[in-house]
Structures are given as C-alpha cells and as structure tokens.
Amino acid sequence: MSLDDLVDTESAPETVVVDCDLDAPPEKVWRALTQPELMAAWLAEGDIKPQVGHRFELKSEIGPVECEVLTADPKRELRLSWSERDEAGDLVDSEITFVLTPTIDGGTRLRLVHDGFVHAGFLVMAIGRIVPRKPVRRLEWVYAWAA
C-alpha cells in the first residue's frame, strides 16, 4: 500500500483514519509521541509536552505547524490542534488524535485520526513514517519507540 492509496487529493478536506499495529507497548509508543527528542526522530522537531494547553511549533520540512495539546491521557490518547498552510498558502486548522490501545501480545494498536485533513500537508509525510510500505516499519519510528 502506498501513500497515494491512502490520500484523496481531489475532494475537500475530511477525516483520515490510519490504524497500525506496533510491536511496542503503549508506554513506549506514548514516549515516541510526547518526548521532543523522540518525536523529532520520526516526525519533526518541536517542544511538545503532554500537558493540556501547551502550545508548540513543529518544524516540518515543508513549513511550520502550530500545535496545542487538547487532550493528554497518558498511554491512551493524545489530541492536538494542528494549524498548517495548504498548497495555496492558506492557513488550515484541523485536529490530530493518536489513540493507543494495548494488544493481547503486548504491543499497541495505534489509531491516528486527522479531522480536517490537509491533502498535501505535513501529516502525509507522518503517515508515511507510520504506515509500513514494506514488511519492515520505517526505522525512524522504530528508533523512536525503542528508546
């Protein structure tokens, strides 16, 4: 499955949901989502803190993304406001939710929900780093949760 299979570039912004099973337990996945040095390994640099109301900027390859922590339920759910520019340069506000569910084998089912998805935006790259394109997951994500 490629990113082109996941992204509809023709219609208006919508909700995108990506589920993926990870071999790491929820506490390690939570750290990869909420510790700045680990998030930088798979997504982008930014001063994230898992505290409701915390504002930070992600320094993405295609421009800054302004974020605010809306929900921070350790090892369960992280919800962020997400503000970035679309291809036309217009500011688009959306929300990103990461839901972590423990699996019976000790891993984590990670559900990423992007409400108000920006088709050519920064999250397309993030999805590419989470969703395996080959049988082996991308190393950036594996290194982040292994810490």
Side-chain angles (χ1 to χ4, degrees), residues 27-99:
E27 54 272 9
K28 284 191 173 186
V29 177
W30 179 257
R31 287 197 324 253
L33 294 172
T34 61
Q35 291 184 2
E37 64 279 4
L38 299 179
M39 184 178 250
W42 71 273
L43 181 60
E45 289 183 20
D47 185 29
I48 187 168
K49 293 179 185 153
Q51 301 168 351
V52 173
H54 176 68
R55 293 176 181 268
F56 64 99
E57 178 182 278
L58 290 174
K59 295 169 180 70
S60 83
E61 299 156 11
I62 61 171
V65 179
E66 297 295 326
C67 300
E68 179 180 351
V69 177
L70 304 174
T71 303
D73 185 0
K75 300 181 275 183
R76 293 188 183 161
E77 181 178 336
L78 178 67
R79 187 168 57 100
L80 307 172
S81 67
W82 189 272
S83 184
E84 67 178 308
R85 303 253 173 218
D86 65 12
E87 289 178 335
D90 297 324
L91 194 61
V92 179
D93 295 321
S94 58
E95 288 185 7
I96 308 293
T97 305
F98 298 93
V99 178

Side-chain angles (χ1 to χ4, degrees), residues 3 20 22 39-44 60-61 122-133 137-142 145:
L3 285 177
C20 99
L22 303 172
M39 184 178 250
W42 71 273
L43 181 60
S60 83
E61 299 156 11
F122 179 52
L123 193 61
V124 171
M125 291 187 300
I127 290 170
R129 291 179 176 133
I130 294 170
V131 175
R133 292 187 226 181
R137 290 182 185 84
R138 291 195 43 115
L139 289 178
E140 292 91 344
W141 182 249
V142 173
W145 85 52

